[in-house]
Amino acid sequence: MAIYDILCDVKDLRETSGICDFNGYLEDYLTILEDQEEAKERYSLFQRIWERDHDLRICVSLRLNINKDAIANQIIRYKDSFKLPHGTIRCPYILYGTFHGSQKAMILTFGDKAQYVIAKALYYVISEPENEYEGSRNEIVACNVDETHPELFIETMERFFWQNSKAGIVQRQLDSKVFLNYDEMYETAQAMASYQLVNLKDILRDSEDRGTTINNIIATWFLLKKFSYVQYMMDKNNLNQNHDGNVKKQRQKAKEKCDAIGFVSYSELWKLVKDLK
């Protein structure tokens, strides 16, 4: 199935067994946002998008699962991520629709460059083989949105949705506009992982639900590892320039990058919680 058909069938929390907070027309979601004072800028942005296309749909906070049998996840070997409850990983927003006879979707995160890394990681999760979204990888683009300066997002959406540019071309060009190269992307992922490591006690101390917080910490480390590995493997220029076309060497280096994303085990995280008491 194509991505629009798949997402249209996703049930939200208004129905039994819903796996997202909202799924429907963007116009209807705007009526939810308009009374939320903290969502003023987001409402304005989505209103602007809706004015461009009244048929756009949106899926909010879609729960995603990790396929532990996926080859990349077996290579990453972050076993604690396989213990996460189903739906721990959430995709903040997916805009989707039909354009020129094609079904397309955009994964959106809100924030700076770090959130672009998360958006790409979410794309790599949703496009894993043997899940409900399999086969839709060439119909999805991942993007972060700076709410105060959303021009890059608007430009990207225009090209992908309405100018009918291919997902791979749009994504690669977006990569080059947000980051200089993979190394800069990877440094950002490492910085995010290190921030959690350094601030674990404060993060857990300030948490109202420490079990959920621990799950979210592990999910973030998984996403950063996933991004670091898959992004490196997806770079064909890197394969040819740095590894002489040898996929095995590229995979070994990608694994080293992934392994260098530090983490603390599930048991150690819970030990930290006990020590806080």
Side-chain angles (χ1 to χ4, degrees):
M1 288 178 70
I3 192 62
Y4 180 87
D5 294 331
I6 294 170
L7 289 173
C8 278
D9 286 341
V10 169
K11 295 180 179 178
D12 62 29
L13 294 183
R14 295 173 295 180
E15 301 181 66
T16 306
S17 70
I19 59 169
C20 64
D21 289 358
F22 177 89
N23 186 29
Y25 284 102
L26 181 57
E27 180 178 14
D28 295 330
Y29 186 61
L30 284 169
T31 64
I32 296 173
L33 284 186
E34 64 183 343
D35 295 326
Q36 298 179 12
E37 184 64 28
E38 70 279 7
K40 249 183 176 179
E41 288 182 343
R42 205 153 299 186
Y43 174 83
S44 297
L45 177 64
F46 285 143
Q47 175 76 20
R48 179 178 173 184
I49 295 167
W50 174 77
E51 288 171 356
R52 178 65 175 83
D53 187 338
H54 289 188
D55 293 324
L56 275 178
R57 296 174 67 95
I58 189 168
C59 185
V60 181
S61 196
L62 177 65
R63 280 66 159 168
L64 300 176
N65 297 316
I66 299 169
N67 177 11
K68 67 178 181 180
D69 296 323
I71 293 173
N73 293 341
Q74 287 294 310
I75 293 172
I76 290 169
R77 288 185 63 79
Y78 183 26
K79 294 182 179 179
D80 281 346
S81 66
F82 301 153
K83 302 173 187 176
L84 292 173
H86 286 315
T88 297
I89 294 176
R90 299 190 180 195
C91 188
Y93 298 97
I94 303 179
L95 284 169
Y96 63 104
T98 57
F99 314 91
H100 308 287
S102 299
Q103 301 190 25
K104 296 185 176 185
M106 286 188 72
I107 292 172
L108 305 184
T109 54
F110 281 82
D112 59 9
K113 287 183 174 184
Q115 286 305 309
Y116 184 76
V117 168
I118 295 298
K120 290 293 295 283
L122 290 168
Y123 166 77
Y124 291 139
V125 172
I126 205 171
S127 61
E128 284 178 351
E130 298 181 18
N131 70 13
E132 57 269 55
Y133 309 100
E134 185 176 17
S136 62
R137 60 181 299 175
N138 294 322
E139 301 167 341
I140 306 173
V141 163
C143 186
N144 70 310
V145 185
D146 182 338
E147 288 181 87
T148 56
H149 301 286
E151 290 76 18
L152 181 58
F153 158 63
I154 297 293
E155 172 193 320
T156 302
M157 184 177 60
E158 184 73 33
R159 291 183 58 238
F160 182 48
F161 281 173
W162 298 296
Q163 294 179 13
N164 210 26
S165 296
K166 291 184 177 180
I169 295 173
V170 172
Q171 193 73 69
R172 286 190 294 273
Q173 291 180 343
L174 192 54
D175 282 356
S176 66
K177 288 180 179 179
V178 179
F179 290 98
L180 293 174
N181 48 37
Y182 171 84
D183 290 339
E184 188 183 1
M185 291 181 180
Y186 182 66
E187 287 173 7
T188 300
Q190 276 194 314
M192 295 167 72
S194 296
Y195 177 85
Q196 284 199 155
L197 277 172
V198 171
N199 295 283
L200 275 178
K201 286 185 178 180
D202 290 338
I203 294 170
L204 291 169
R205 185 181 292 112
D206 295 340
S207 170
E208 294 181 3
D209 184 341
R210 288 170 176 170
T212 297
T213 299
I214 285 174
N215 288 336
N216 289 335
I217 287 169
I218 290 171
T220 298
W221 276 328
F222 169 77
L223 289 172
L224 296 173
K225 284 177 170 290
K226 180 83 167 177
F227 170 83
S228 300
Y229 178 82
V230 182
Q231 184 73 27
Y232 194 85
M233 291 299 297
M234 292 288 287
D235 191 336
K236 291 182 180 179
N237 289 329
N238 173 49
L239 170 65
N240 296 320
Q241 293 172 10
N242 298 325
H243 303 291
D244 300 319
N246 189 319
V247 176
K248 186 175 180 180
K249 288 182 179 179
Q250 185 187 29
R251 186 178 296 115
Q252 181 180 347
K253 189 65 176 180
K255 180 70 163 63
E256 291 173 7
K257 296 280 189 183
C258 167
D259 289 345
I261 299 290
F263 68 95
V264 172
S265 69
Y266 229 134
S267 57
E268 287 297 314
L269 287 169
W270 277 111
K271 186 175 183 300
L272 277 174
V273 169
K274 291 178 182 178
D275 292 344
L276 290 175
K277 293 179 180 179

